[in-house]
Amino acid sequence: MDPTAAASPESVATSISIIDLVRNGWYVTYPLIAMSVMITSIMIERLWIMRGLAGSIDGVTESACASLAAGDAAGAGATLQGAMTTSPAARVYAPLVSLLGRTSADDLLEYGERRRLDEVRRLKGSIWLLGTVAASAPFIGLLGTVIGIIKSFHQMAVMGTGGFAVVAAGISEALVATALGLLVAILALLFFNYFQVRIGNLDTQLRVGLGRFVEAGAAGSAVGER
């Protein structure tokens, strides 16, 4: 007699590992695993891009404003050109240097605001995907839960008997899908909110810095006219 045929439901249930449950629920667990890889890559990429930006914005703003207030527009332009690749503030201010003294402060602010919005859009990058995953992952996990329960009841109908051992595999598969969906959603939501707050703070720094830059430029132009 084949020993596997005589295996009890209890022994079959206890032989199932987490990996087996993940494989059995591939229609839900594999997409969730792919989502976890995607959001992890987005988080690492955004964290790398945003490293030290707050300090660079303050540093570039202070340096440029000091040069402009002293009437040294050329020095401010050189400073900004040197920081173009590392600071969003430099990319916002640099195009304005050539317009100082030839354009009104309101027009400079309007042009600078467009540049600032471009930089904020670049900072946001693909973080919208984090919000999408945070909203959809729990429902994908819930889908796995429902399917796992359906499979459990189907197994009971096929075997013609009930009991925990009969439905253990299906219930375990459902719970694994639920847990994985919640884990991915929580991780995505935490970092989505973190990046939203951090980008909002950087946006505020750029807005305040832009106002200071335009004021310093106006003051420097007045010094140059004396």
Side-chain angles (χ1 to χ4, degrees):
M1 182 178 179
D2 186 357
T4 59
S8 65
E10 289 83 356
S11 63
V12 173
T14 55
S15 66
I16 298 176
S17 67
I18 296 295
I19 300 299
D20 293 328
L21 294 174
V22 170
R23 289 174 178 170
N24 291 340
W26 62 269
Y27 43 85
V28 170
T29 57
Y30 285 6
L32 288 173
I33 292 172
M35 285 182 177
S36 68
V37 173
M38 177 184 68
I39 65 173
T40 301
S41 63
I42 292 173
M43 290 185 296
I44 293 173
E45 184 257 350
R46 286 294 100 185
L47 287 171
W48 178 260
I49 286 179
M50 294 183 191
R51 71 193 191 284
L53 285 188
S56 73
I57 290 173
D58 287 340
V60 167
T61 301
E62 291 292 340
S63 178
C65 288
S67 297
L68 289 178
D72 185 13
T79 299
L80 296 174
Q81 288 297 325
M84 287 282 284
T85 58
T86 59
S87 176
R91 293 190 289 270
V92 172
Y93 306 155
L96 305 181
V97 174
S98 61
L99 301 177
L100 293 172
R102 303 188 309 174
T103 307
S104 66
D106 290 340
D107 289 339
L108 280 175
L109 279 175
E110 183 180 354
Y111 182 50
E113 281 294 310
R114 292 198 296 268
R115 302 283 301 183
R116 180 185 62 81
L117 291 174
D118 285 340
E119 288 302 317
V120 172
R121 178 180 54 81
R122 289 178 58 184
L123 288 174
K124 289 182 177 179
S126 301
I127 67 168
W128 64 270
L129 288 172
L130 299 180
T132 302
V133 170
S136 60
F139 293 101
I140 297 175
L142 180 60
L143 174 63
T145 302
V146 173
I147 294 176
I149 294 174
I150 291 173
K151 289 169 66 175
S152 297
F153 282 105
H154 176 71
Q155 186 71 11
M156 291 174 60
V158 169
M159 298 188 67
T161 183
F164 178 75
V166 176
V167 300
I171 296 297
S172 298
E173 180 183 317
L175 294 177
V176 167
T178 303
L180 187 58
L182 289 175
L183 178 63
V184 173
I186 291 170
L187 185 64
L189 182 61
L190 286 175
F191 276 91
F192 178 75
N193 288 336
Y194 168 77
F195 285 128
Q196 289 285 81
V197 171
R198 187 165 180 182
I199 291 172
N201 291 337
L202 293 173
D203 184 26
T204 300
Q205 280 186 277
L206 287 173
R207 184 182 289 111
V208 172
L210 177 61
R212 291 182 58 195
F213 181 86
V214 172
E215 290 175 1
S221 298
V223 169
E225 292 174 357
R226 292 176 184 175

